[in-house]
Amino acid sequence: MDIRKVFGANVRVYRLAAGLSQEAVAVRMGVDRAYVSAIERGLQNVTLLTIWQLAESLHVRPADLLAEPVQKSRW
């Protein structure tokens, strides 16, 4: 799986869980809303600094944003 897609999906999940809009996250990070949108869609190859800023903005650990979703067992 493409890590950019995994990362973007995780950002979206945690953002929605926090009840934040893309605009609110962008303001917290000091970036444009379109940049947050591109991250969530897996179109951006983000830097370590961006990972840290997103984690801080969403109040999660950076590792949480990189974790692949657990696959359901077929059994």
Side-chain angles (χ1 to χ4, degrees), residues 10-41:
N10 287 338
V11 168
R12 180 175 167 79
V13 166
Y14 285 112
R15 176 180 64 77
L16 293 174
L20 297 171
S21 66
Q22 288 179 344
E23 181 69 28
V25 173
V27 167
R28 289 180 180 195
M29 293 177 63
V31 299
D32 190 72
R33 186 213 51 84
Y35 182 59
V36 175
S37 174
I39 290 171
E40 288 187 2
R41 291 181 286 136

Side-chain angles (χ1 to χ4, degrees), residues 35-61:
Y35 182 59
V36 175
S37 174
I39 290 171
E40 288 187 2
R41 291 181 286 136
L43 302 178
Q44 289 293 322
N45 191 21
V46 299
T47 65
L48 289 172
L49 181 57
T50 301
I51 294 170
W52 183 262
Q53 289 173 328
L54 275 165
E56 289 284 309
S57 297
L58 298 172
H59 303 293
V60 299
R61 298 175 313 135

